[in-house]
Protein backbone atom coordinates (compact mmCIF):
# COMPACT_ATOMS: atom_id res chain seq x y z
CA UNK A 1 0.00 0.00 0.00
CA UNK A 2 1.38 3.38 -1.00
CA UNK A 3 -0.14 6.79 -0.30
CA UNK A 4 0.42 9.43 -2.99
CA UNK A 5 0.14 13.20 -2.68
CA UNK A 6 -1.50 14.89 -5.67
CA UNK A 7 -0.97 18.65 -5.76
CA UNK A 8 -1.97 21.55 -8.00
CA UNK A 9 -5.39 20.04 -8.66
CA UNK A 10 -8.05 22.19 -10.31
CA UNK A 11 -10.65 23.11 -7.69
CA UNK A 12 -13.36 21.54 -9.84
CA UNK A 13 -11.79 18.05 -9.78
CA UNK A 14 -13.95 15.31 -8.27
CA UNK A 15 -12.80 12.18 -6.45
CA UNK A 16 -14.26 10.06 -9.27
CA UNK A 17 -12.15 11.90 -11.88
CA UNK A 18 -9.02 11.45 -9.77
CA UNK A 19 -9.79 7.75 -9.25
CA UNK A 20 -10.25 7.23 -13.01
CA UNK A 21 -6.96 9.00 -13.72
CA UNK A 22 -5.00 6.71 -11.40
CA UNK A 23 -6.89 3.46 -12.13
CA UNK A 24 -5.37 3.47 -15.60
CA UNK A 25 -2.03 2.72 -13.86
CA UNK A 26 -3.15 0.23 -11.18
CA UNK A 27 -5.56 -0.66 -8.42
CA UNK A 28 -6.72 2.30 -6.35
CA UNK A 29 -7.76 1.67 -2.73
CA UNK A 30 -8.90 5.14 -1.65
CA UNK A 31 -9.13 8.68 -3.05
CA UNK A 32 -9.64 11.83 -1.01
CA UNK A 33 -9.62 15.48 -2.06
CA UNK A 34 -8.92 17.89 0.79
CA UNK A 35 -11.58 20.55 1.26
CA UNK A 36 -11.68 23.73 3.30
CA UNK A 37 -13.56 23.19 6.56
CA UNK A 38 -15.40 26.50 6.46
CA UNK A 39 -16.27 26.88 2.78
CA UNK A 40 -16.36 23.23 1.65
CA UNK A 41 -14.35 24.20 -1.45
CA UNK A 42 -11.51 21.97 -2.63
CA UNK A 43 -8.10 23.21 -1.49
CA UNK A 44 -6.25 22.07 -4.64
CA UNK A 45 -4.64 18.87 -3.40
CA UNK A 46 -5.57 15.35 -2.43
CA UNK A 47 -4.34 11.85 -1.70
CA UNK A 48 -4.58 8.56 -3.58
CA UNK A 49 -3.85 5.21 -1.92
CA UNK A 50 -2.72 2.50 -4.32
CA UNK A 51 -2.52 -1.15 -3.25
CA UNK A 52 0.63 -2.05 -5.21
CA UNK A 53 3.83 -0.04 -4.61
CA UNK A 54 5.21 -0.80 -8.10
CA UNK A 55 2.03 0.43 -9.76
CA UNK A 56 2.16 3.55 -7.59
CA UNK A 57 5.72 4.30 -8.74
CA UNK A 58 4.64 3.87 -12.37
CA UNK A 59 1.68 6.19 -11.79
CA UNK A 60 4.00 8.83 -10.31
CA UNK A 61 6.34 8.56 -13.29
CA UNK A 62 3.49 8.73 -15.79
CA UNK A 63 1.31 11.42 -14.22
CA UNK A 64 3.74 13.83 -12.50
CA UNK A 65 3.77 17.01 -14.58
CA UNK A 66 0.82 15.94 -16.73
CA UNK A 67 -2.06 18.38 -17.15
CA UNK A 68 -5.52 18.09 -15.67
CA UNK A 69 -7.93 20.95 -16.25
CA UNK A 70 -5.12 23.17 -17.52
CA UNK A 71 -2.91 22.66 -14.45
CA UNK A 72 0.30 20.62 -14.23
CA UNK A 73 -0.10 17.99 -11.51
CA UNK A 74 2.53 17.50 -8.83
CA UNK A 75 2.58 13.89 -7.65
CA UNK A 76 4.89 12.25 -5.15
CA UNK A 77 4.82 9.84 -2.25
CA UNK A 78 2.92 11.34 0.68
CA UNK A 79 4.88 11.99 3.84
CA UNK A 80 3.42 10.35 6.94
CA UNK A 81 1.24 12.53 9.12
CA UNK A 82 3.08 13.83 12.18
CA UNK A 83 1.69 14.85 15.55
CA UNK A 84 2.44 18.52 15.13
CA UNK A 85 0.58 21.12 17.16
CA UNK A 86 -2.17 23.01 15.42
CA UNK A 87 -1.66 26.70 14.83
CA UNK A 88 -3.02 28.94 17.52
CA UNK A 89 -2.72 28.64 21.25
CA UNK A 90 -1.14 25.17 21.55
CA UNK A 91 2.52 25.78 20.78
CA UNK A 92 4.85 28.53 21.91
CA UNK A 93 6.33 30.66 19.16
CA UNK A 94 9.84 32.00 19.51
CA UNK A 95 11.32 34.91 17.60
CA UNK A 96 8.12 36.12 16.00
CA UNK A 97 5.89 37.01 18.93
CA UNK A 98 4.92 40.45 19.92
CA UNK A 99 1.95 42.67 19.58
CA UNK A 100 1.31 45.66 17.43
CA UNK A 101 4.72 47.26 17.12
CA UNK A 102 4.43 51.06 17.46
CA UNK A 103 0.66 51.36 17.50
CA UNK A 104 -0.08 50.55 21.14
CA UNK A 105 0.28 47.28 22.96
CA UNK A 106 4.05 47.39 23.24
CA UNK A 107 5.85 44.50 21.60
CA UNK A 108 6.82 42.29 24.49
CA UNK A 109 3.50 40.71 25.35
CA UNK A 110 1.12 38.58 23.34
CA UNK A 111 2.68 36.19 20.91
CA UNK A 112 1.38 32.73 20.16
CA UNK A 113 0.53 31.70 23.72
CA UNK A 114 -2.56 32.30 25.70
CA UNK A 115 -1.97 33.72 29.13
CA UNK A 116 1.19 35.79 28.72
CA UNK A 117 4.65 35.04 27.54
CA UNK A 118 6.04 36.53 24.39
CA UNK A 119 9.47 37.03 22.93
CA UNK A 120 11.25 36.95 26.29
CA UNK A 121 9.47 33.90 27.69
CA UNK A 122 11.95 31.01 27.63
CA UNK A 123 10.18 28.64 30.05
CA UNK A 124 9.54 25.86 27.52
CA UNK A 125 12.74 26.35 25.57
CA UNK A 126 15.63 23.90 25.94
CA UNK A 127 18.32 26.59 26.33
CA UNK A 128 17.90 29.36 28.83
CA UNK A 129 19.24 32.83 28.02
CA UNK A 130 22.65 33.72 29.42
CA UNK A 131 23.03 36.14 32.29
CA UNK A 132 24.13 39.57 31.09
CA UNK A 133 27.79 40.50 31.52
CA UNK A 134 27.88 43.70 33.54
Amino acid sequence: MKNLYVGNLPHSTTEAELRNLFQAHGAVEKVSIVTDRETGRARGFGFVEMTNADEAEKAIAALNGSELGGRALKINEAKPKTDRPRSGFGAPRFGGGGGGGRSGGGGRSGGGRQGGGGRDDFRDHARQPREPRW
Side-chain angles (χ1 to χ4, degrees):
M1 180 91 64
K2 202 161 209 180
N3 194 13
L4 305 179
Y5 165 83
V6 184
N8 204 25
L9 282 172
H11 295 287
S12 61
T13 305
T14 64
E15 289 184 359
E17 289 173 327
L18 199 55
R19 180 180 293 275
N20 289 337
L21 185 67
F22 278 85
Q23 275 183 337
H25 301 281
V28 175
E29 182 76 24
K30 182 179 169 187
V31 174
S32 62
I33 294 178
V34 179
T35 56
D36 186 274
R37 236 182 303 186
E38 294 176 13
T39 63
R41 184 173 179 235
R43 292 187 57 197
F45 69 96
F47 298 94
V48 176
E49 282 185 21
M50 297 187 75
T51 52
N52 187 326
D54 291 333
E55 291 174 347
E57 290 297 328
K58 289 177 185 171
I60 291 172
L63 296 173
N64 190 28
S66 65
E67 282 200 14
L68 178 65
R71 299 180 78 164
L73 298 178
K74 292 181 172 74
I75 303 170
N76 52 35
E77 188 174 344
K79 296 180 177 128
K81 208 175 197 181
T82 59
D83 291 332
R84 58 190 160 101
R86 305 211 24 104
S87 61
F89 296 117
R93 296 185 340 185
F94 297 103
R102 293 179 186 214
S103 60
R108 295 283 185 196
S109 64
R113 294 170 49 120
Q114 184 179 19
R119 285 177 65 128
D120 295 334
D121 182 17
F122 290 95
R123 281 182 294 202
D124 298 328
H125 200 268
R127 291 182 54 192
Q128 297 295 319
R130 256 190 350 213
E131 290 294 319
R133 293 187 208 170
W134 301 110

